């Protein structure tokens, strides 16, 4: 999943990817007012699309197996510490792949990002202890 700060960013990223990749479009864009939101999420679950470009609308409540997450502009004010933690929580939700990559792309390394990274580290440590039975 590729998260962007604003709805207007969806079209920009979509156009850049279409230009650079020049092949079959393997992604879709989804946002809160998208009338096809549910169908697009289902297409992702059905592996009809490789990934979704989205806003914070999908930071909670969806689970896709075997995904990684990128957040463009993770230092944008729309991404709070808790939303960054929730977004990172989309990764590693299946027993068959309990890990994955979470990448935050930023212009500046903000306090929100540092706090999110610290919280994610603590939760991962606790999860590992539970898994290991400690």
């Amino acid at each position: 999943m590729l998260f962007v700060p604003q709805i207007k960013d969806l079209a920009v990223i979509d156009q850049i990817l279409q230009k650079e990749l020049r092949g079959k479009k393997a992604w879709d864009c989804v946002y809160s007012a998208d009338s096809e939101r549910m169908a697009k999420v289902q297409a992702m679950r059905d592996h009809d699309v490789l990934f979704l470009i989205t806003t914070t609308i999908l930071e909670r409540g969806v689970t896709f197996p075997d995904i990684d997450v990128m957040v463009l502009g993770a230092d944008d004010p729309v991404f709070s510490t808790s939303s960054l933690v929730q977004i990172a929580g989309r990764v590693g939700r299946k027993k068959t792949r309990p890990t994955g990559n979470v990448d935050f792309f930023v212009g500046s390394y903000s306090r929100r990002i540092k706090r999110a990274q610290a919280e994610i580290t603590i939760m991962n440590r606790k999860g590992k202890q539970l898994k290991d039975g400690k």
Side-chain angles (χ1 to χ4, degrees):
M1 295 179 73
L2 175 58
F3 287 85
V4 297
Q6 307 293 327
I7 292 171
K8 64 182 171 122
D9 299 326
L10 296 169
V12 173
I13 300 301
D14 184 59
Q15 289 173 356
I16 290 169
L17 289 174
Q18 286 185 52
K19 180 180 176 188
E20 294 299 318
L21 299 178
R22 296 189 196 119
K24 180 181 179 251
K25 188 174 170 182
W27 65 89
D28 221 329
C29 298
V30 64
Y31 56 99
S32 59
D34 188 342
S35 62
E36 298 176 31
R37 184 176 76 214
M38 299 305 285
K40 291 176 179 180
V41 169
Q42 189 59 50
M44 175 79 173
R45 285 189 173 112
D46 295 340
H47 305 284
D48 294 335
V49 294
L50 195 56
F51 65 96
L52 294 173
I53 306 169
T54 186
T55 59
T56 56
I57 188 68
L58 294 183
E59 78 181 45
R60 299 169 191 245
V62 295
T63 298
F64 302 109
D66 305 326
I67 68 161
D68 297 308
V69 166
M70 293 188 295
V71 184
L72 296 182
D75 53 338
D76 188 283
V78 74
F79 295 116
S80 65
T81 297
S82 62
S83 71
L84 291 169
V85 170
Q86 286 293 327
I87 288 168
R90 303 302 94 214
V91 174
R93 297 179 66 90
K94 294 291 183 179
K95 266 189 164 179
T96 56
R97 187 173 183 239
T99 62
N101 295 315
V102 177
D103 295 302
F104 294 159
F105 295 91
V106 301
S108 65
Y109 195 53
S110 70
R111 184 176 290 144
R112 286 186 316 274
I113 293 174
K114 291 176 186 176
R115 282 193 298 241
Q117 288 176 316
E119 283 185 39
I120 293 164
T121 299
I122 289 167
M123 286 189 285
N124 284 342
R125 220 176 272 139
K126 286 180 181 179
K128 184 172 177 4
Q129 288 173 345
L130 287 173
K131 180 184 165 218
D132 294 342
K134 294 179 181 176

